[in-house]
């Protein structure tokens, strides 16, 4: 690995000067980010306000119809459902956009064009350059993504119990968009994109690399999240059609008289003679389910966010160490 030869000017620009330089250099990205946050925030306020009220009124009309001819505002129900789905996925996509920008523009393009090396000859040390490059965007990213997640949770809560088709808290999209995980993932994507940009030194390669890394971190979070907090176990009589307990399910099946766990043949209640004979042959006495109830929402969110923030800190440390190694003369 070849070190970058840099002759650093002995001047020491002030932090405001560095920030002004950063804003001028990335002004299009700054305005784009502010535009995204403002537009999505306005759309989420519309979703949780007028759209929710209209959809809830339409559901009241529908539920009051009984068995007769029903006249209700179906368009309001469909409009709410579509807007909720689109806005939820938009909130989840934000961390990927941050990672792509961090890799492709924030670091990768400057390394490729020589802008970074030029800054280092104008009295800006590589370490100070990188600290400014990461700190200011991190504040804006955390504030913007946090606002979107907060508004999404508010909009979802406004429809809970009022709209019959409201997504449950445990659904994949709703769960992740309703808490701080997108904020932690965006900061991880920022640090990961910066690291890949420094390694690749090419804007396009860093952009793709930042997206791939964030997708990997996102997938790993989904796999690890259910195991970051102890599960609750529900034991249900065979008189029911299956195990009870709403939430995020990890495993379920049958319990034998000896306490062993076996697979559920999905026969149903033992009120059916066929199912009763099957359970008797299996020595099954009840259903069981290991799951996370709604009370585990915040513990899971905080644990997953904590893991991502630790990863972001490690990536940031790696970026500084790599930059120091590459600029050592």
């Amino acid at each position: 690995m070849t070190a970058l030869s840099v002759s650093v000017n002995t001047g020491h620009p002030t932090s405001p000067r560095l920030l002004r330089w950063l804003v001028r250099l990335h002004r299009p990205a700054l305005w784009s980010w502010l535009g995204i946050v403002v537009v999505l925030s306005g759309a989420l306020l519309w979703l949780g306000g007028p759209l929710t009220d209209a959809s809830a009124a339409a559901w009241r009309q529908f539920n009051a119809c009984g068995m007769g001819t029903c006249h209700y505002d179906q368009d309001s129900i469909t409009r709410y459902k579509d807007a909720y789905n689109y806005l939820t996925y938009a909130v989840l996509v934000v961390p990927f956009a941050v990672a792509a920008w961090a890799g492709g523009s924030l670091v990768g393009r400057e390394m490729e064009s020589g802008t970074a090396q030029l800054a280092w000859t104008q009295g800006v040390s590589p370490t100070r350059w990188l600290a400014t490059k990461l700190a200011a965007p991190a504040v804006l990213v955390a504030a913007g993504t946090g606002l979107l997640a907060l508004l999404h949770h508010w909009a979802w809560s406004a429809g809970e119990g009022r709209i019959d088709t409201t997504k449950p808290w445990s659904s994949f999209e709703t769960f992740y968009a309703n808490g701080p995980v997108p904020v932690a993932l965006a900061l991880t994507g920022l640090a990961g994109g910066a690291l890949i940009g420094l390694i690749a030194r090419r804007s396009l390669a860093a952009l793709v690399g930042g997206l791939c890394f964030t997708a990997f971190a996102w997938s790993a979070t989904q796999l690890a999240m259910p195991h970051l907090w102890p599960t609750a176990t529900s034991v249900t009589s065979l008189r029911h059609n299956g195990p009870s307990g709403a939430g995020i399910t990890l495993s379920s099946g049958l319990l034998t008289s000896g306490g062993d766990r076996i697979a559920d043949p999905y026969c149903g209640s033992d009120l059916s003679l066929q199912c009763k004979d099957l359970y008797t042959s299996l020595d099954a006495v009840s259903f069981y389910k290991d799951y996370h109830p709604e009370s585990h929402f915040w513990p899971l969110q905080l644990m997953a966010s904590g893991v991502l923030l630790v990863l972001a800190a490690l990536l940031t440390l790696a970026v500084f160490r790599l930059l120091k190694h590459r600029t050592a003369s």
Side-chain angles (χ1 to χ4, degrees):
M1 186 180 293
T2 304
L4 299 175
S5 178
V6 180
S7 176
V8 180
N9 193 303
T10 57
H12 298 283
T14 62
S15 295
R17 179 180 167 188
L18 286 174
L19 287 175
R20 287 196 298 271
W21 163 76
L22 180 64
V23 169
R24 285 198 301 269
L25 190 62
H26 297 284
R27 186 175 297 166
L30 174 62
W31 285 114
S32 298
W33 173 247
L34 292 177
I36 289 172
V37 172
V38 170
V39 169
L40 288 181
S41 296
L44 287 168
L45 289 171
W46 176 57
L47 173 66
L51 270 185
T52 295
D53 293 339
S55 183
W59 274 111
R60 286 196 300 270
Q61 294 170 357
F62 177 81
N63 292 328
C65 288
M67 300 299 294
T69 303
C70 191
H71 298 284
Y72 65 100
D73 187 2
Q74 186 176 9
D75 290 340
S76 293
I77 294 176
T78 304
R79 193 178 301 116
Y80 171 88
K81 181 179 179 181
D82 291 342
Y84 181 86
N85 289 333
Y86 291 141
L87 288 173
T88 299
Y89 282 110
V91 172
L92 295 177
V93 164
V94 165
F96 294 89
V98 171
W101 172 74
S105 180
L106 183 65
V107 176
R109 188 176 65 184
E110 291 200 30
M111 298 299 296
E112 181 179 18
S113 64
T115 306
Q117 292 86 336
L118 177 62
W120 301 339
T121 65
Q122 302 301 312
V124 181
S125 68
T127 299
R128 197 171 186 186
W129 169 83
L130 181 59
T132 304
K133 297 285 285 185
L134 292 180
V139 172
L140 292 175
V141 165
T145 312
L147 175 62
L148 295 179
L150 181 64
L151 288 175
H152 186 278
H153 192 281
W154 168 79
W156 172 80
S157 300
E160 188 182 19
R162 300 172 60 198
I163 298 175
D164 292 12
T165 53
T166 301
K167 291 289 184 71
W169 72 272
S170 56
S171 68
F172 168 81
E173 322 88 70
T174 298
F175 176 84
Y176 285 104
N178 264 358
V181 168
V183 182
L185 184 63
L187 293 175
T188 303
L190 176 66
L195 178 61
I196 294 173
L198 191 59
I199 294 173
R201 303 189 201 177
R202 295 291 185 271
S203 57
L204 181 58
L207 185 152
V208 174
L211 286 174
C212 291
F213 171 81
T214 306
F216 171 78
W218 180 226
S219 300
T221 300
Q222 295 173 42
L223 292 174
M225 184 275 300
H227 306 283
L228 297 177
W229 194 258
T231 59
T233 300
S234 170
V235 178
T236 310
S237 168
L238 293 177
R239 295 280 172 162
H240 296 80
N241 288 321
S244 63
I248 300 174
T249 301
L250 272 71
S251 64
S252 63
L254 294 170
L255 287 175
T256 67
S257 59
D260 296 328
R261 295 184 170 194
I262 59 176
D264 187 351
Y266 298 103
C267 183
S269 169
D270 68 354
L271 294 176
S272 164
L273 293 178
Q274 182 181 0
C275 294
K276 184 174 183 178
D277 292 340
L278 175 60
Y279 294 146
T280 300
S281 66
L282 295 173
D283 190 30
V285 296
S286 61
F287 295 106
Y288 81 89
K289 177 189 282 188
D290 293 331
Y291 72 109
H292 290 292
E294 188 172 4
S295 60
H296 289 190
F297 172 80
W298 284 111
L300 289 172
Q301 283 279 340
L302 295 176
M303 291 298 293
S305 300
V307 171
L308 285 171
L309 290 176
V310 170
L311 177 58
L314 293 175
L315 289 169
T316 303
L317 178 62
V319 175
F320 278 98
R321 291 181 67 86
L322 179 60
L323 180 65
K324 181 178 179 181
H325 175 71
R326 285 196 165 181
T327 56
S329 54

